[in-house]
Structures are given as structure tokens and as C-alpha cells.
Amino acid sequence: MSKLHFTTKHANEATVTHNWYVIDGTNQTVGRMCSKIAAVLRGKNKAYYTPHVDCGDYVIVINCEKVKLTGNKMDEKVYDNFSGYPGGRKEEVAKDLLKRRPEVIIERAIKGMLPKNRLGRKMYKKLFVYAGAEHQHAAQKPAELKF
């Protein structure tokens, strides 16, 4: 092969290795933390990132009830859910949602940052969010990921 012509190496299912990472959400800002997690789920932290292949890693988020929102978002940010039926719209302020189901804030933020297709849904399944410090993935020996 000539030294003037190189081919780009594309990752595929056989060459990709999926690692496990655990992230502590204590005192982390939601948007900044979630954008970095979304990049890890997509595989953008790897040298052989290929857009059409699932190169991402598995991510475990613990202590998600201790995350923080900047500014007045805790009181003013509204999460709404619509069932599709008339009168089926439900709204909830971030403060109430953080008390009731703290995992949802992280999950919705990350899901919005992933591609909206089959590949994005596959990436989203590699995210595990827990409210407390305990998780059930100790057998995978996750490495700690700090931002």
C-alpha cells in the first residue's frame, strides 16, 4: 500500500469493546453532567468512534437525588407529560419531581441528547440511574468516571 493513501478504520460490532463506568451525581449540575454522560453512551470518548455503530459504554449513575440545578430552575422548570387524550397533560415542577422520582430528571435529560432513531434507543438502554448510593452492577466491575 502506498504511504500516500490510507483507509479510515470503521468500528463494527466485532471490534467494539463496551466498558462499564459509575458516576456519582452528588453536587453535579444536571445539564453539564448529562451532556458528558451522553457523549460516553454514544462512544465519542473513543478514538474509533463511528457514527453509525454503537461504540458507547455502559453508564451507572448513583446519588441522582443529590444533583443540583442552576438558577431558578428548581422552582421554574416544568416537566410535562401528555397521554394523548383530551385533558391528559400533567405538569410537575422540578423540585417536586426530584423528591418523587429523582431518576427521571437524569434519564429525560440524557435521552434528549441521544439520537432519535434505533441506534439512540439502543444507546439509551445502556444507562442505569439509581437514587441512592447502591447499585446492582458490582459484578461488571465498573470504573469510576470523574468530570
Side-chain angles (χ1 to χ4, degrees), residues 6-129:
F6 293 100
T7 57
T8 303
K9 302 287 185 192
H10 290 287
N12 57 30
E13 290 294 323
T15 60
V16 174
T17 57
H18 299 288
N19 301 321
W20 283 77
Y21 294 109
V22 64
I23 296 169
D24 191 3
T26 306
N27 292 329
Q28 296 274 345
T29 306
V30 172
R32 295 171 196 270
M33 179 182 73
C34 291
S35 64
K36 292 173 184 165
I37 292 172
V40 172
L41 286 171
R42 288 196 73 183
K44 289 199 159 196
N45 59 334
K46 297 183 177 180
Y48 55 80
Y49 167 71
T50 308
H52 63 276
V53 177
D54 185 12
C55 301
D57 298 321
Y58 292 86
V59 177
I60 305 161
V61 182
I62 57 173
N63 291 325
C64 69
E65 79 273 356
K66 298 177 183 173
V67 296
K68 58 183 183 176
L69 294 163
T70 58
N72 297 329
K73 292 189 195 97
M74 196 64 88
D75 298 318
E76 294 177 1
K77 184 166 178 61
V78 176
Y79 290 91
D80 64 336
N81 193 11
F82 182 57
S83 68
Y85 289 96
R89 183 173 181 214
K90 297 177 184 174
E91 294 181 342
E92 193 167 12
V93 180
K95 186 191 313 180
D96 299 333
L97 186 61
L98 192 63
K99 286 180 195 166
R100 191 172 64 87
R101 290 182 62 199
E103 308 91 15
V104 174
I105 290 179
I106 304 295
E107 289 171 355
R108 284 184 63 164
I110 293 172
K111 189 172 186 178
M113 297 177 190
L114 293 175
K116 278 57 170 188
N117 53 25
R118 275 179 270 175
L119 186 59
R121 289 188 291 276
K122 189 175 177 185
M123 292 172 185
Y124 180 68
K125 289 178 183 174
K126 295 187 297 185
L127 174 69
F128 303 94
V129 184

